[in-house]
């Protein structure tokens, strides 16, 4: 596991991910605590896309594919899952902490929901976001044997979902439904449907990892 940590979380990835969240807290203005989750959710999807794209193809890029190619399929699959677990856990913890980065703006609570309700629902939403987009990026990279293909295709889908489909087309079925939720309705959780679909799709992609590795090497 120490080896996987060193491979999956090199210094440069930690630095740029931290900088990304800090910069977001400066360029995304919020007046209310209720707005912080929505400001982070879709943007952290892009971070997950870039962060997880090279999970397995890094071996090819690093000229270690001859050694990895000798591993039995079960070992390859376990390696991918370990690396994804490390990266997704790191991104989730960073995202939870990123919620508090916005408090330098002194946002106020609308009073519709408690702070802990807002933080708890944000935690659920962003976890689903990171799982879906991280798995999507990794899956596409492995299918095309190229991390840039994984990043590019995932980013293209992100643009379509955010700017073309959005609230009007997908409604509560969308992965970013959380960002469109009503801030004035107590206990609003209708967006959980879209997040649940995202988690289900991430599970399907995870189940397909052995097949992809077997076919694509």
């Amino acid at each position: 596991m120490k080896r996987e940590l060193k491979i999956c979380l090199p210094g440069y990835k930690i630095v740029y991910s931290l900088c990304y969240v800090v910069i977001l807290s400066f360029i995304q203005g919020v007046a209310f605590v209720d707005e912080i989750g929505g400001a982070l959710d879709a943007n952290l999807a892009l971070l997950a896309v870039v962060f997880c794209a090279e999970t397995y193809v890094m071996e090819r890029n690093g000229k270690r594919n001859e050694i990895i190619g000798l591993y039995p399929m079960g070992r390859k699959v376990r390696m991918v899952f370990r690396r994804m677990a490390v990266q997704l856990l790191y991104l989730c913890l960073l995202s939870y902490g990123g919620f508090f980065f916005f408090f330098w703006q002194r946002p106020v609570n609308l009073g519709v929901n408690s702070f802990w309700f807002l933080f708890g629902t944000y935690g659920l939403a962003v976890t689903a976001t990171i799982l879906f987009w991280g798995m999507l990026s990794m899956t596409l990279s492995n299918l095309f044997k190229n991390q840039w293909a994984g990043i590019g295709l995932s980013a293209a889908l992100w643009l379509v979902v955010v700017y073309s489909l959005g609230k009007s087309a997908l409604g509560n079925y969308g992965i970013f439904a959380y960002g469109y939720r009503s801030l004035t309705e107590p206990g609003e959780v209708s967006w959980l449907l879209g997040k649940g679909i995202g988690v289900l799709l991430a599970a399907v992609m995870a189940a397909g990892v052995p097949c992809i590795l077997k076919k694509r090497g």
Side-chain angles (χ1 to χ4, degrees):
M1 185 57 73
K2 288 183 179 180
R3 179 175 180 272
E4 303 299 350
L5 283 170
K6 290 177 65 176
I7 293 174
C8 297
L9 299 177
Y12 78 91
K13 293 182 77 170
I14 294 175
V15 169
Y16 81 64
S17 59
L18 282 169
C19 289
Y20 183 83
V21 177
V22 171
I23 291 171
L24 274 179
S25 72
F26 280 92
I27 64 176
Q28 290 279 350
V30 296
F32 305 104
V33 176
D34 313 57
E35 297 175 324
I36 297 176
L40 280 167
D41 190 44
N43 288 303
L44 289 172
L46 283 179
L47 178 61
V49 163
V50 175
F51 205 90
C52 297
E54 63 173 7
T55 299
Y56 182 68
V57 294
M58 68 172 66
E59 302 295 350
R60 183 178 304 277
N61 298 338
K63 307 302 181 183
R64 295 187 296 268
N65 54 311
E66 293 87 355
I67 299 174
I68 300 300
L70 299 175
Y71 289 179
M73 183 54 60
R75 184 174 178 182
K76 291 181 183 179
V77 172
R78 289 192 296 272
M79 179 181 69
V80 170
F81 283 145
R82 283 198 304 269
R83 291 182 180 181
M84 283 301 295
V86 169
Q87 292 175 117
L88 294 174
L89 178 60
Y90 168 79
L91 288 172
C92 285
L93 293 176
L94 176 62
S95 300
Y96 305 153
F99 188 88
F100 298 93
F101 291 4
F102 284 76
F103 279 82
W104 73 268
Q105 299 184 36
R106 299 184 182 278
V108 297
N109 193 330
L110 284 172
V112 178
N113 293 296
S114 70
F115 167 81
W116 291 111
F117 177 85
L118 295 173
F119 181 67
T121 51
Y122 161 73
L124 289 174
V126 79
T127 299
T129 294
I130 289 170
L131 286 174
F132 173 76
W133 291 97
M135 286 299 303
L136 177 67
S137 178
M138 183 272 293
T139 299
L140 291 175
S141 293
N142 289 342
L143 279 172
F144 291 94
K145 296 185 178 181
N146 188 299
Q147 71 188 75
W148 299 110
I151 292 173
L153 291 171
S154 298
L157 178 61
W158 181 90
L159 288 170
V160 170
V161 173
V162 171
Y163 293 108
S164 297
L165 298 177
K167 181 179 181 180
S168 58
L170 296 176
N172 290 329
Y173 294 94
I175 188 66
F176 296 132
Y178 171 77
Y180 306 124
R181 75 198 189 286
S182 171
L183 300 181
T184 58
E185 185 176 341
E188 164 61 14
V189 291
S190 57
W191 49 267
L192 282 172
L193 180 59
K195 295 299 184 181
I197 293 173
V199 172
L200 179 61
L201 291 174
V204 171
M205 287 184 279
V209 167
C211 181
I212 293 173
L213 294 187
K214 183 177 181 179
K215 289 183 176 297
R216 304 301 288 174

